[in-house]
Amino acid sequence: MPVAVCALSHSPLIGFNHPAKAVEERVEKVFEHARGFIAAFDPDLVVLFAPDHYNGFFYDMMPPFCIGTRATALGDYDTPAGELSVAKSARTLAKDVLAAGIDVAVSERMYVDHGFAQPLQLLFGGLDRVPVIPVFINSVAAPLCPVGRVRQLGTAIGHASAHLDEQRVLFLGSGGLSHDPPVPQLENATEEVAARLIDGRNPTPEERARRQARVIASGLDLAAGTSSMQPINPEWDQQFLDVVSAGELRLVDGWSTEWFAEQAGHSSHEVRTWIAAYAAMAARGKYVMNYRFYEPVPEWVAGFAVTTAVSADA
Ligand SMILES: O=C(O)CCc1cccc(O)c1O
Ligand SMILES: [Fe+2]
C-alpha cells in the first residue's frame, strides 16, 4: 500500500504581495513540480495536517489536535470557501488514533482557514477535488503541547492509515518554516484583542479586511527592512529540513517551544504539521525525501519550503 508525503509552507500573502519576478516564477515551477508529483502518485486519500490562525479555533475550546469528520473553509485572504470533501474514514482514523492513546479531539463542524484551503487550492485546484481527512494542529495558541506529542500523533495516524479502505494515502503538511507574522497573543493582550482570541468567530467583513491589510503590510515592511518582526532564519530552516530529510524525527522531542520562538519566530511552530506528516510517513516504513526546495520570501513572511517524499522501497 503506497504512501507519500508533500509538505510545504503556506502564506496567505501569495498573490497579495509580489516578490521579485524571478522568485515568483521559481515558486510557480515548484508548485508545478509538486502538482506533478501528486498527480503521478494519484492519492485516493489525503491526510492534511494544518494549523489555524484564530479563524476556526479559539480559546473558548482550544484542543492541541483535532480531526475533522466534516469541515468548512472560511475563505480568508481570497482562499476558496466551502465544504471540504472529508472522507468517511475520518471517523475510523479518529477512533484508531484514540485507541492508540493519543487524545485527539473530533469535530463534526470544523472551520478551517488558509492553512488548509491554500494547499488544497494550489495542489488540487479546489477544496473538494480529493477525499481528505483534515487534522488541525494547534501551532499558535499558547500553551502548546510538547512537540514530541505531535510526532506521536503523526506516528499513530501513520499506523492507523494502514488499516483504512483507501490504499494510496498522501500525508500533506501545511505551514512554516521560520516566520513571525503579527498574530496576536493572549498574554498581555488588550481586552478587545483577548475577546477576539477567545471567541472571534464571524468577524465583520471590515474587521477581517483590517486584520488582513495589517498582515499584508507587515510583509512589505519585512521585505523593506523596516520591520520590527523577527527575521526569517534560513539557517534554522535548512537545519530543520536536514533533520526531516535524514528521518531523525525523534530529535524533535528535545526541542522546547521557547527555542522555536527564539530561533525562528512564533509561527515557526507551524512546522508541527511537517513533523506530523513525516512521522506518519515514517510509521509506514523508511522514506526518502526526493524533492526539496527552500527560499526565504520576506514579502510572504515565510521561510518558504516545498518537499516531497516516497517510500524507500518504492
Ligand atoms: O493572518 C494571520 O493571522 C497570519 C497569516 C500568515 C502570514 C504569513 C505566513 C503565514 O503562515 C500566515 O499564516
Ligand atoms: Fe500560517
Side-chain angles (χ1 to χ4, degrees):
M1 289 205 287
V3 284
V5 180
C6 178
L8 73 172
S9 306
H10 60 238
S11 171
L13 308 183
I14 297 175
F16 289 94
N17 290 346
H18 298 281
K21 203 162 178 55
V23 177
E24 277 194 321
E25 283 171 3
R26 255 196 309 279
V27 172
E28 188 41 53
K29 284 223 176 71
V30 169
F31 287 144
E32 253 164 55
H33 177 88
R35 283 190 284 268
F37 170 82
I38 291 169
F41 176 68
D42 190 24
D44 52 18
L45 175 67
V46 172
V47 179
L48 171 50
F49 301 93
D52 182 70
H53 313 74
Y54 299 112
N55 292 304
F57 285 85
F58 296 87
Y59 272 110
D60 58 5
M61 188 73 80
M62 182 62 74
F65 319 123
C66 184
I67 293 178
T69 47
R70 301 190 67 167
T72 302
L74 291 145
D76 58 328
Y77 292 95
D78 294 352
T79 55
E83 287 261 324
L84 279 61
S85 43
V86 177
K88 279 210 175 64
S89 52
R91 290 180 190 163
T92 312
L93 188 79
K95 183 164 164 270
D96 290 354
V97 168
L98 282 161
I102 304 293
D103 303 329
V104 69
V106 171
S107 175
E108 277 285 321
R109 189 175 294 164
M110 189 158 105
Y111 289 104
V112 301
D113 68 10
H114 65 271
F116 287 85
Q118 185 172 69
L120 290 175
Q121 173 72 17
L122 277 169
L123 299 173
F124 297 94
L127 297 173
D128 57 354
R129 305 297 163 85
V130 64
V132 62
I133 300 180
V135 183
F136 160 76
I137 298 180
N138 178 21
S139 306
V140 294
L144 300 182
C145 69
V147 69
R149 289 297 287 169
V150 176
R151 182 182 63 75
Q152 291 172 325
L153 168 75
T155 301
I157 287 180
H159 286 309
S161 72
H163 307 294
L164 300 176
D165 290 340
E166 290 89 350
Q167 299 293 302
R168 310 179 60 80
V169 181
L170 177 73
F171 300 112
L172 178 54
S174 166
L177 303 185
S178 65
H179 64 311
D180 196 40
V183 179
Q185 288 162 18
L186 188 60
E187 202 180 338
N188 305 322
T190 62
E191 245 177 72
E192 189 193 336
V193 170
R196 169 159 100 57
L197 300 185
I198 292 166
D199 177 11
R201 292 175 187 85
N202 307 311
T204 65
E206 292 74 24
E207 278 166 347
R208 186 175 288 293
R210 210 177 320 121
R211 268 173 63 192
Q212 294 186 178
R214 203 169 122 254
V215 177
I216 291 165
S218 81
L220 298 180
D221 279 349
L222 189 64
T226 54
S227 173
S228 56
M229 276 154 63
Q230 212 169 310
I232 295 167
N233 185 342
E235 267 169 42
W236 188 92
D237 290 339
Q238 292 289 6
Q239 281 166 17
F240 175 77
L241 293 171
D242 287 345
V243 167
V244 174
S245 173
E248 294 171 341
L249 295 176
R250 275 179 185 277
L251 283 177
V252 310
D253 294 18
W255 297 352
S256 74
T257 48
E258 294 76 20
W259 178 76
F260 276 84
E262 280 162 21
Q263 294 287 314
H266 292 90
S267 289
S268 67
H269 301 301
E270 287 186 354
V271 299
R272 285 168 176 246
T273 61
W274 287 56
I275 290 163
Y278 273 96
M281 183 72 183
R284 302 289 300 267
K286 266 202 181 329
Y287 64 77
V288 182
M289 189 186 277
N290 61 353
Y291 185 76
R292 170 172 168 171
F293 169 87
Y294 174 77
E295 181 156 344
V297 186
E299 290 84 353
W300 295 341
V301 194
F304 208 87
V306 179
T307 65
T308 66
V310 294
S311 295
D313 55 10

